[in-house]
Amino acid sequence: MLTKKQLKLYKFLQNYKEQNEVMPKFDEIREYMNIKSKSGVHQMLGYIEWKGYIKRYPAQARAIKIIKEKA
């Protein structure tokens, strides 16, 4: 189960991917979620990944894959 903020980010990732065919940059996520640092984005993505909704691939730009289609 995702928290409200995590769900907001998860839906943003889904919508962004549908509209742009790529995942957003950390700065775009940070701006959308009103997070002050990239480490905050990294942490939030980590929680969503830990819960099994996404998969991240280190050292690759925009390397996020949605695993679960519904949150």
Side-chain angles (χ1 to χ4, degrees):
M1 181 67 70
L2 298 175
T3 66
K4 287 181 183 182
K5 279 188 173 185
Q6 292 167 353
L7 183 59
K8 179 180 176 182
L9 174 55
Y10 177 77
K11 289 186 178 193
F12 173 70
L13 294 173
Q14 285 182 314
N15 293 335
Y16 194 97
K17 173 74 173 173
E18 285 177 18
Q19 293 174 6
N20 301 291
E21 298 182 10
V22 294
M23 285 296 185
K25 297 178 185 177
F26 268 44
D27 283 331
E28 293 167 324
I29 296 170
R30 184 184 56 75
E31 195 173 296
Y32 178 79
M33 294 298 294
N34 197 26
I35 298 172
K36 295 183 182 190
S37 69
K38 287 185 182 181
S39 64
V41 172
H42 184 71
Q43 184 179 30
M44 189 173 287
L45 287 171
Y47 287 132
I48 296 172
E49 182 177 28
W50 181 74
K51 292 180 179 183
Y53 288 87
I54 63 171
K55 173 71 179 150
R56 294 184 298 166
Y57 300 94
Q60 295 179 13
R62 301 178 186 236
I64 301 170
K65 180 179 180 183
I66 294 178
I67 297 174
K68 292 185 183 179
E69 290 300 320
K70 293 194 176 191

